[in-house]
Amino acid sequence: MMEWVEKETLRTHMECVAACMVSYCTGDAEERNRWVVTGLLHDFDYERHPTKEEHPFVGVDHLRNHTDVGVEVIEAI
């Protein structure tokens, strides 16, 4: 998130979404962590790729091919 997002307002938005998502989660700690990560990452590519043709597809491709982010998070994004 920090590598891709420069604007503090977008970071705050992503953190707020993560906080909301975890408050809705009724699962165990592992599931809550997935929900938090999904909320934090859901818009991480938006500054670089804001068009409907690219967002969130470029970010999802990056996560899938260059990170160890789990498939459940990637599919949720």
Side-chain angles (χ1 to χ4, degrees):
M1 175 179 140
M2 300 303 279
E3 288 180 36
W4 283 61
V5 180
E6 292 183 22
K7 293 181 181 173
E8 188 64 32
T9 54
L10 183 54
R11 288 181 186 171
T12 300
H13 161 73
M14 295 161 71
E15 291 167 353
C16 289
V17 170
C20 290
M21 288 181 67
V22 77
S23 73
Y24 294 127
C25 183
T26 59
D28 61 14
E30 186 175 323
E31 184 176 356
R32 284 192 303 275
N33 287 337
R34 282 193 303 272
W35 285 47
V36 167
V37 171
T38 301
L40 288 174
L41 294 179
H42 80 283
D43 273 345
F44 86 99
D45 70 342
Y46 188 76
E47 280 183 353
R48 296 182 188 183
H49 305 281
T51 67
K52 65 180 180 178
E53 292 80 23
E54 294 181 319
H55 171 68
F57 310 108
V58 173
V60 165
D61 184 61
H62 176 78
L63 294 174
R64 187 173 282 124
N65 294 305
H66 302 287
T67 72
D68 63 351
V69 172
V71 67
E72 289 178 325
V73 170
I74 292 170
E75 288 177 358
I77 294 170

